[in-house]
Amino acid sequence: MPQDANAEVAEQARAMERRRFRHCSVGGIADVWSVPEFGAVQRLPQLEEFPMRRPFGLFAAAAALITIAAPVSAAQAVTAPPASGTAKVGTARENMVVRLVNARRAKKGCRALKHHPQLHRAARGHSADMAEGDYFSSTSRDGRSFTDRIKEAGFTGGTNLAENIAKGQRTPAAVVQSWMDHSVTKATIMNCKFTFIGVGAVEDSEGAIYWTQNFAAK
């Protein structure tokens, strides 16, 4: 990424940091689960305990080399990524997460992720459900996994599907830094195989922000 573009991203991140969002403090221990190839479920080592006054919650779920091939209805038909000149996907807050993630990936030489409308739909829907239901998990209240949600949003044919979630961070810069501070979620962000991303950020009634990232290669 050119130096002036990096400066622009950094300045926008600082501007977002200065905005005052209501938030709640979240502390405790975040557990991480993964779904390796062939469907074996594995619990990864528990992350460290965070101070109770630190607004942080973090969970990552990743699936390696999963191809979603289940039939979908006409309402769930695959749509292409938005063409140049079409309406942007996501809110300003969500798109700032995409830009900050791409800035980190550029340092490793990874391609920039495109904000995909169906991955965004899945991510925002899950953030909204967590905010409404007052829970924090990559498994929905009805038992759906992140791969189920991505499929139901109409995204098919993807590989290397993955999801990061977080709760309580007040700004895009804060949540991206939180994900980058932990090896599992950082590895998801820095996986050069991914080509698309969807970001959802939704506040609950108390002002805590629930963040979801969905990733896919296609």
Side-chain angles (χ1 to χ4, degrees), residues 19-81:
R19 293 182 61 185
R20 299 181 61 186
F21 296 116
R22 295 175 301 153
H23 70 285
C24 70
S25 293
V26 179
I29 297 173
D31 294 326
V32 180
W33 293 77
S34 70
V35 186
E37 192 173 2
F38 308 122
V41 179
Q42 170 186 349
R43 187 170 184 173
L44 302 178
Q46 198 173 58
L47 302 180
E48 70 268 21
E49 187 169 358
F50 301 104
M52 289 300 295
R53 298 184 66 131
R54 182 179 179 184
F56 184 84
L58 182 59
F59 187 99
L65 302 177
I66 291 179
T67 300
I68 299 177
V72 295
S73 67
Q76 297 172 324
V78 175
T79 59

Side-chain angles (χ1 to χ4, degrees), residues 99-120:
R99 295 193 69 181
L100 292 171
V101 163
N102 281 334
R104 298 298 185 105
R105 287 169 59 87
K107 294 178 181 179
K108 186 182 175 182
C110 297
R111 76 187 85 181
L113 299 171
K114 296 180 181 179
H115 205 177
H116 195 286
Q118 292 165 341
L119 293 180
H120 169 258

Side-chain angles (χ1 to χ4, degrees), residues 1-2 5-6 9 81 95 97-116 189-198 215-218:
M1 179 177 291
N6 279 326
V9 170
N95 280 298
V97 171
V98 177
R99 295 193 69 181
L100 292 171
V101 163
N102 281 334
R104 298 298 185 105
R105 287 169 59 87
K107 294 178 181 179
K108 186 182 175 182
C110 297
R111 76 187 85 181
L113 299 171
K114 296 180 181 179
H115 205 177
H116 195 286
I189 289 172
M190 302 301 287
N191 186 339
C192 290
K193 293 180 180 179
F194 291 130
T195 53
F196 297 112
I197 189 173
F215 299 84
K218 192 173 182 181

Side-chain angles (χ1 to χ4, degrees), residues 3 15 19-20 52 62 77 104 115 122-123 156 160 188 199 207 213:
Q3 185 174 1
R19 293 182 61 185
R20 299 181 61 186
M52 289 300 295
R104 298 298 185 105
H115 205 177
T156 61
N160 284 23
T188 301
V199 177
Q213 291 179 313

Side-chain angles (χ1 to χ4, degrees), residues 2 4 15 18 25 46 49 56 81 84 89 102 127 132 138-139 149 154 176 180-181 184 192 199-201 217-218:
D4 57 345
R18 290 193 290 268
S25 293
Q46 198 173 58
E49 187 169 358
F56 184 84
S84 177
V89 177
N102 281 334
S127 288
E132 179 184 350
S138 271
T139 302
R149 294 188 296 269
V176 171
M180 293 297 292
D181 283 343
V184 176
C192 290
V199 177
K218 192 173 182 181

Side-chain angles (χ1 to χ4, degrees), residues 115-186:
H115 205 177
H116 195 286
Q118 292 165 341
L119 293 180
H120 169 258
R121 185 185 310 159
R124 188 167 180 84
H126 187 52
S127 288
D129 191 56
M130 288 192 292
E132 179 184 350
D134 190 26
Y135 73 99
F136 183 65
S137 173
S138 271
T139 302
S140 298
R141 289 179 288 176
D142 58 8
R144 288 176 301 149
S145 67
F146 70 94
T147 57
D148 293 330
R149 294 188 296 269
I150 290 172
K151 179 185 69 176
E152 289 168 8
F155 188 93
T156 61
T159 60
N160 284 23
L161 300 175
E163 179 175 88
N164 288 341
I165 65 173
K167 174 187 176 184
Q169 294 81 2
R170 293 177 292 170
T171 66
V175 73
V176 171
Q177 186 61 54
S178 294
W179 280 322
M180 293 297 292
D181 283 343
H182 295 275
S183 60
V184 176
T185 46
K186 178 180 179 179

